[in-house]
Amino acid sequence: MSSADNKIIQFWAQFLPEIKKISNKFNKIKSLPSNGWLGATSKIIPNVGYWFNVAEGHAKIMLLIGTGTPDKEVNKQIFDELDKHRRKINACINQELNWRRMDTNGSSRISIEINYVDYSQEKDWPKINNFFLECMPKFITAFDQYLLTILI
């Protein structure tokens, strides 16, 4: 295992207990990923998930549509239904989100990120943690209310 793999596991090890305190969406995660991605299903629509991503240079929160189904049309329908509420969702989170329908891809993504942070630098962990812990609950609240109304 490389030192980068060890560092990412250390990052998730210190972060996962914190997110579990404020959101039950992540309670079923038992093992730590050895890559930059940590996520869980929305528990409303099976192929829609909430994801954290860390890398050298940024940290990102994402709603990924299309995590478990090859049905591109359904994934795009979900994105389009959410997009109807874009202004309200952005307002709920109090930031402009990056809405990517990605027409040539089977999935779509809606995200928010911070730059100039690096998971491999422990000095950046508090900033990444604060971003994740402050924004993900808002993200879940903003999207879950609309995911509940989507019939697929």
Side-chain angles (χ1 to χ4, degrees), residues 11 21 39 65 71 88 94 99 104 110 124 133:
F11 174 80
K21 289 178 189 174
I65 304 164
D71 192 341
K88 290 178 185 175
N94 202 28
W99 294 72
T104 59
I110 305 166
D124 285 349
L133 295 170

Side-chain angles (χ1 to χ4, degrees), residues 107-121:
S107 64
S108 296
R109 299 175 181 170
I110 305 166
S111 64
I112 184 172
E113 70 181 81
I114 58 171
N115 294 306
Y116 310 111
V117 293
D118 183 346
Y119 75 88
S120 69
Q121 302 296 317

Side-chain angles (χ1 to χ4, degrees), residues 13-44:
Q14 61 83 37
F15 174 72
L16 190 56
E18 299 304 313
I19 193 62
K20 286 182 174 182
K21 289 178 189 174
I22 61 174
S23 175
N24 65 1
K25 298 264 189 216
F26 302 92
N27 284 346
K28 289 188 177 183
I29 297 173
K30 303 295 183 208
S31 62
L32 299 172
S34 60
N35 61 31
W37 295 91
L38 178 74
T41 179
S42 69
K43 298 183 182 175
I44 297 169

Side-chain angles (χ1 to χ4, degrees), residues 29-151:
I29 297 173
K30 303 295 183 208
S31 62
L32 299 172
S34 60
N35 61 31
W37 295 91
L38 178 74
T41 179
S42 69
K43 298 183 182 175
I44 297 169
I45 299 175
N47 62 325
V48 175
Y50 292 103
W51 288 86
F52 298 101
N53 172 248
V54 291
E56 294 177 2
H58 75 266
K60 184 183 296 188
I61 293 172
M62 179 183 317
L63 183 76
L64 181 59
I65 304 164
T67 60
T69 178
D71 192 341
K72 181 178 172 180
E73 288 181 29
V74 170
N75 297 335
K76 300 311 174 192
Q77 176 189 354
I78 294 167
F79 180 90
D80 292 342
E81 287 299 315
L82 291 171
D83 195 39
K84 292 176 185 177
H85 306 284
R86 180 188 294 222
R87 190 178 343 212
K88 290 178 185 175
I89 290 169
N90 286 342
C92 186
I93 298 169
N94 202 28
Q95 293 202 34
E96 187 70 27
L97 303 178
N98 181 10
W99 294 72
R100 295 182 57 212
R101 191 171 192 273
M102 302 183 340
D103 290 331
T104 59
N105 192 315
S107 64
S108 296
R109 299 175 181 170
I110 305 166
S111 64
I112 184 172
E113 70 181 81
I114 58 171
N115 294 306
Y116 310 111
V117 293
D118 183 346
Y119 75 88
S120 69
Q121 302 296 317
E122 289 185 36
K123 68 177 179 51
D124 285 349
W125 290 4
K127 186 174 183 178
I128 296 168
N129 286 352
N130 288 339
F131 168 66
F132 284 166
L133 295 170
E134 180 182 320
C135 290
M136 184 56 90
K138 293 178 188 177
F139 219 72
I140 291 169
T141 299
F143 284 104
D144 274 5
Q145 65 183 315
Y146 296 107
L147 289 171
L148 287 166
T149 68
I150 297 174
L151 303 174

